[in-house]
Amino acid sequence: MKRIESFCIDHNKLKEGLYVSRIDGDCVTYDLRMAIPNAGSYLENDGLHTVEHLFATYVRNSEYSSRVVYFGPMGCRTGCYLILRDSVSKEETIRLVQDAFRFIAGFEGEIPGATQIECGNFREHSLERAKGYARKMIQVLAGWTPEKMTYEV
């Protein structure tokens, strides 16, 4: 079988940040790396799950909602994938991601979609942990530019 592109990236060189992972037609997959791979410290499922709910809710209610294809966690628990239509520029994507993390960091109230009817694992959430991840990523992405969105080779 052909090796998929994400397995061709040297994970020993990856740092936290926002990267273009791949482009397929009019869809751009962004690698939102929230933890350094293979460094022994991974995102906890409850906080990552809450990030997923809040981030997806934010971007799907933003001005870019019709151009959001997908947002979800990586199985390795080092980040998430965001897939947008290519009509969203890299600059707009950076702002959207920064705004989503600011939304998460300041969020109060019931987590959207976190009831037994709406979610397949409704008990595994941590708003406090998600807020901590968001505060960290706000710092990581401060001053982020399109030039930084390319994987180091």
Side-chain angles (χ1 to χ4, degrees), residues 8 16 49 53-54 57 63 73 79 98 113 120-121 151:
C8 297
E16 291 117 334
H49 190 193
H53 278 238
L54 291 171
T57 296
E63 65 183 285
Q98 290 169 331
N121 192 4
Y151 290 127

Side-chain angles (χ1 to χ4, degrees), residues 44-115:
E44 296 292 330
N45 281 331
D46 58 357
L48 181 58
H49 190 193
T50 303
V51 166
E52 175 195 12
H53 278 238
L54 291 171
F55 196 106
T57 296
Y58 182 83
V59 298
R60 291 189 180 279
N61 282 279
S62 74
E63 65 183 285
Y64 303 102
S65 62
S66 66
R67 295 178 273 173
V68 175
V69 176
Y70 174 78
F71 180 80
M74 297 175 183
C76 62
R77 293 186 295 127
T78 62
C80 297
Y81 288 113
L82 171 63
I83 304 175
L84 301 173
R85 299 283 179 207
D86 65 1
S87 59
V88 181
S89 71
K90 289 179 182 176
E91 293 85 359
E92 290 171 311
T93 300
I94 292 167
R95 280 192 305 278
L96 178 63
V97 170
Q98 290 169 331
D99 290 346
F101 279 125
R102 283 191 282 274
F103 169 76
I104 295 168
F107 188 82
E108 297 293 333
E110 296 292 316
I111 299 163
T115 68

Side-chain angles (χ1 to χ4, degrees), residues 20-41:
V20 173
S21 175
R22 58 183 294 136
I23 300 172
D24 298 288
D26 72 335
C27 291
V28 180
T29 300
Y30 291 95
D31 174 341
L32 180 51
R33 196 61 61 158
M34 299 168 63
I36 298 172
N38 303 311
S41 180

